[in-house]
Amino acid sequence: MAAPLLSAALRGARAFGTAAALCRWAAPLGPMPNEQIDVGNLEALEKYRSFTRYFRQAEKEGRKARWWKTYRQYASPEPEPKTDIGLPHGKLLKERKERKKILKQNHQNAEMERAARLRTVLIPLDEVRAEWEKTSGPFHRQRLAEYYGIFRDLFQKGTFTPWVSLRVEYSQEDEHLVPVYYGNMVTPTEASSPPEVSYEADKGSLWTLLLTNPDGHLRETDAEYLHWLVTNIPGNDLKAGKEICHYLPPFPAMGTGYHRFVFLLFKQERPIDFSEDVRPTPCHSLKMRTFSTFDFYRKHEDSMTPAGLAFFQCQWDSSVTWVFHQLLNMREPVFEFVRPPVYHPPQVKFPRHQPLRYLDRYRDTKEPTYGIY
Amino acid sequence: VGMLEFVLSCFRFASTTASLKTETEVDTRENDVVASDFTNRNPRNLEQLALARKERGWKTTWPKREFWHRLRLERTQHYVEAFVERCNGDVVVSASTREWAIKRHLYSPKGVTACKNLGRVMAQRCLEAGINFVNFKAVIPWERRCDSIQEFEKAMKEGGVVLQEPRRIYL
């Protein structure tokens, strides 16, 4: 009872109850929200008149950066600024006039207007996708790769915008194609044979294709497994390139969940000698397959830049058992999910405001204090 | 929490294999040694296994943050935009009639047709990004009955995206 009276006496403003006994009112460290609104003259203010307008304004204000730190800013550290390691890209400003012309033609088209009014228009999704790959596709792919943590795990402080659109498709027995986009779900049975890779390439250029699994390493957390490495590919021809590491089908262990498999396409400026990275032709040793994209890229940084990106997700499947037993010649590991234990502060001899089950939290056995009666 | 801790529970034994060359045997003998703790760094793993935590507070405000991915449709005076975002605000997939790829095929970048076609494009992009379940509760209830939002919802459902997130598994 003394606390509200105390705070009211100290501030002389409207009193409200506080748990803190000794608090001295101090001025806020920055501008408070809604300070600019003049409450004296309420009729002259512009009102919202609708919930939608208020809600949109509220969402916008919620996303603004404030001078006070939110819980997220305390809990997770600020991300460091990343360096761009990709290819440079020039903007084309001449397209604006052409685009305006096309839009004007659309507006004058009576058929389009009728179709829009009767709600029968269906956009050709293939054309939209092709145009998207050229215009905002690379930025969307970069954003998704950032979300999936690919840049954080493969290139620690570098990002790149994948300007070259990489098309990867796994072909099945019944001539059915399983494409790999950015975050697809592909089963190990579908991915058991090497895929068909296609991309736009000039005649004299050289490329490197790499398939890694940053999640699957059975011994260390930070290492990746190399599944496929083809270098010095002239133009589009994958078979003409030198296959340094032959294709190994994905093997995500049972119980470990979804693993990411990343296809990286690097553009080479000159033919590079990869003799240090050559693996023996039937390479089934996991130690030889242990790989780090960061070190690999660091070694050949001067002559190679990342240009294309495609990744898929993979879960355990019965073909993984076959890969473990026949190809890798080892027992198949099976994992189980274990949640990290709940944190309890150190036990106190005289706990304040705690129920009797406080003792249950620190007991070694599992006898509860409730449910006895 | 993105990190997943797994504990090795058992080994599944291999069936009898044909005789291997001695070279490959030497190579693969070390494969058997596996660490008992496994950490999966994939940030999407936990939510795809329905084991990740959803932010359960915010019950006195609207909209709630109890989701892994939320679909938000913004209809402004001139354009229609759709975003799929996480509870901390990071946009994962987005589509808008502001993009040239979509704008050139439409008569008007606002309205029911724009919403419908945006829904089809958005469904394709979500499936390509591996997002199959989205929360679509951040729509104002009396606006939910509008033709444009209903067409958008129908287009998303026909595209293959489920507009309800699975319940979390409490283990």
Side-chain angles (χ1 to χ4, degrees), chain A residues 88-145:
Chain A
H89 188 77
K91 278 193 180 174
L92 300 157
L93 291 166
K94 292 177 196 172
E95 293 172 350
R96 262 198 190 171
K97 285 195 175 174
E98 290 162 10
R99 286 179 184 185
K100 276 197 168 174
K101 236 197 262 177
I102 296 176
L103 283 175
K104 206 174 177 184
Q105 277 169 10
N106 275 354
H107 262 276
Q108 283 155 0
N109 192 343
E111 269 182 29
M112 278 194 82
E113 194 271 325
R114 198 185 305 132
R117 196 169 13 104
L118 301 170
R119 303 171 185 181
T120 50
V121 181
L122 288 168
I123 293 179
L125 286 175
D126 313 316
E127 284 180 30
V128 168
R129 188 154 202 277
E131 187 65 42
W132 171 80
E133 289 262 9
K134 279 185 244 163
T135 50
S136 35
F139 299 107
H140 287 206
R141 275 180 195 246
Q142 188 182 11
R143 192 175 55 189
L144 259 161

Side-chain angles (χ1 to χ4, degrees), chain A residues 200-269:
Chain A
E200 277 174 24
D202 305 323
K203 260 198 169 174
S205 50
L206 293 166
W207 306 83
T208 305
L209 182 69
L210 171 70
L211 172 59
T212 50
N213 174 10
D215 300 319
H217 207 271
L218 296 162
R219 280 216 205 162
E220 299 146 48
T221 323
D222 290 328
E224 306 151 21
Y225 276 144
L226 176 67
H227 281 260
W228 202 22
L229 180 53
V230 190
T231 55
N232 293 321
I233 305 167
N236 255 322
D237 242 352
L238 259 160
K239 286 162 196 173
K242 192 177 171 201
E243 206 185 43
I244 284 179
C245 190
H246 73 104
Y247 184 78
L248 184 69
F251 53 94
M254 178 150 116
T256 46
Y258 292 82
H259 294 225
R260 299 164 284 182
F261 288 83
V262 187
F263 280 98
L264 281 167
L265 185 71
F266 294 91
K267 184 160 190 187
Q268 286 174 248
E269 282 152 38

Side-chain angles (χ1 to χ4, degrees), chain A residues 7-286:
Chain A
S7 57
L10 283 172
R11 282 206 274 109
R14 267 195 292 164
F16 65 96
T18 72
L22 285 167
C23 48
R24 172 120 205 129
W25 181 82
L29 299 158
M32 284 279 122
N34 293 337
E35 244 179 7
Q36 278 94 37
I37 298 171
D38 178 25
V39 198
N41 194 359
L42 276 173
E43 277 149 48
L45 280 175
E46 201 205 321
K47 313 282 192 308
Y48 285 112
R49 298 182 313 275
S50 84
F51 178 77
T52 328
R53 210 170 283 134
Y54 154 73
F55 185 60
R56 202 168 283 151
Q57 185 67 29
E59 290 267 287
K60 238 197 277 181
E61 293 277 326
R63 266 175 257 143
K64 268 194 206 171
R66 301 283 175 183
W67 54 266
W68 61 81
K69 269 194 180 178
T70 54
Y71 168 75
R72 268 186 237 278
Q73 283 169 328
Y74 278 111
S76 54
E78 285 283 334
E80 294 159 4
K82 297 202 169 177
T83 44
D84 186 19
I85 49 175
L87 296 164
H89 188 77
K91 278 193 180 174
L92 300 157
L93 291 166
K94 292 177 196 172
E95 293 172 350
R96 262 198 190 171
K97 285 195 175 174
E98 290 162 10
R99 286 179 184 185
K100 276 197 168 174
K101 236 197 262 177
I102 296 176
L103 283 175
K104 206 174 177 184
Q105 277 169 10
N106 275 354
H107 262 276
Q108 283 155 0
N109 192 343
E111 269 182 29
M112 278 194 82
E113 194 271 325
R114 198 185 305 132
R117 196 169 13 104
L118 301 170
R119 303 171 185 181
T120 50
V121 181
L122 288 168
I123 293 179
L125 286 175
D126 313 316
E127 284 180 30
V128 168
R129 188 154 202 277
E131 187 65 42
W132 171 80
E133 289 262 9
K134 279 185 244 163
T135 50
S136 35
F139 299 107
H140 287 206
R141 275 180 195 246
Q142 188 182 11
R143 192 175 55 189
L144 259 161
E146 180 79 48
Y147 168 59
Y148 271 89
I150 286 172
F151 298 132
R152 165 191 55 129
D153 291 333
L154 297 184
F155 310 94
Q156 278 141 33
K157 282 184 196 170
T159 27
F160 69 94
T161 320
W163 295 110
V164 178
S165 60
L166 187 61
R167 246 186 91 209
V168 183
E169 275 163 359
Y170 281 101
S171 52
Q172 310 302 310
E173 284 160 356
D174 49 348
E175 299 195 18
H176 174 60
L177 287 169
V178 176
V180 168
Y181 298 122
Y182 32 98
N184 244 4
M185 226 64 80
V186 181
T187 50
T189 347
E190 286 164 3
S192 41
S193 49
E196 290 158 14
V197 181
S198 61
Y199 49 90
E200 277 174 24
D202 305 323
K203 260 198 169 174
S205 50
L206 293 166
W207 306 83
T208 305
L209 182 69
L210 171 70
L211 172 59
T212 50
N213 174 10
D215 300 319
H217 207 271
L218 296 162
R219 280 216 205 162
E220 299 146 48
T221 323
D222 290 328
E224 306 151 21
Y225 276 144
L226 176 67
H227 281 260
W228 202 22
L229 180 53
V230 190
T231 55
N232 293 321
I233 305 167
N236 255 322
D237 242 352
L238 259 160
K239 286 162 196 173
K242 192 177 171 201
E243 206 185 43
I244 284 179
C245 190
H246 73 104
Y247 184 78
L248 184 69
F251 53 94
M254 178 150 116
T256 46
Y258 292 82
H259 294 225
R260 299 164 284 182
F261 288 83
V262 187
F263 280 98
L264 281 167
L265 185 71
F266 294 91
K267 184 160 190 187
Q268 286 174 248
E269 282 152 38
R270 46 181 172 268
I272 310 174
D273 178 34
F274 283 98
S275 46
E276 297 157 344
D277 296 310
V278 170
R279 265 55 168 184
T281 321
C283 181
H284 294 307
S285 150
L286 290 177

Side-chain angles (χ1 to χ4, degrees), chain B residues 31-148:
Chain B
N31 286 354
D32 237 358
V33 184
V34 165
S36 55
D37 286 309
F38 180 92
T39 314
N40 189 336
R41 292 185 287 177
N42 190 358
R44 279 212 70 201
N45 190 17
L46 274 174
E47 70 201 34
Q48 280 173 320
L49 294 174
L51 292 166
R53 290 193 191 101
K54 293 186 190 180
E55 257 181 69
R56 272 193 292 185
W58 306 96
K59 286 195 176 155
T60 50
T61 57
W62 183 87
K64 293 196 265 187
R65 315 265 173 108
E66 201 173 341
F67 55 83
W68 292 309
H69 297 282
R70 163 172 84 169
L71 177 60
R72 182 165 59 99
L73 182 67
E74 259 187 34
R75 296 181 301 158
T76 52
Q77 225 176 10
H78 304 287
Y79 296 107
V80 187
E81 310 206 315
F83 299 95
V84 168
E85 38 183 42
R86 295 197 86 193
C87 45
N88 60 356
D90 296 335
V91 174
V92 185
V93 189
S94 78
S96 87
T97 40
R98 241 195 275 251
E99 289 167 26
W100 174 241
I102 301 175
K103 205 171 14 173
R104 64 197 294 248
H105 294 281
L106 288 170
Y107 173 77
S108 77
K110 53 205 182 204
V112 183
T113 31
C115 281
K116 189 163 134 190
N117 289 299
L118 192 76
R120 291 171 72 224
V121 171
M122 192 66 178
Q124 191 194 37
R125 288 189 195 176
C126 278
L127 289 181
E128 284 174 9
I131 297 167
N132 302 314
F133 301 96
V134 202
N135 186 325
F136 196 39
K137 288 197 182 162
V139 199
I140 299 164
W142 56 85
E143 282 201 357
R144 211 181 197 170
R145 292 189 212 163
C146 298
D147 275 345
S148 46

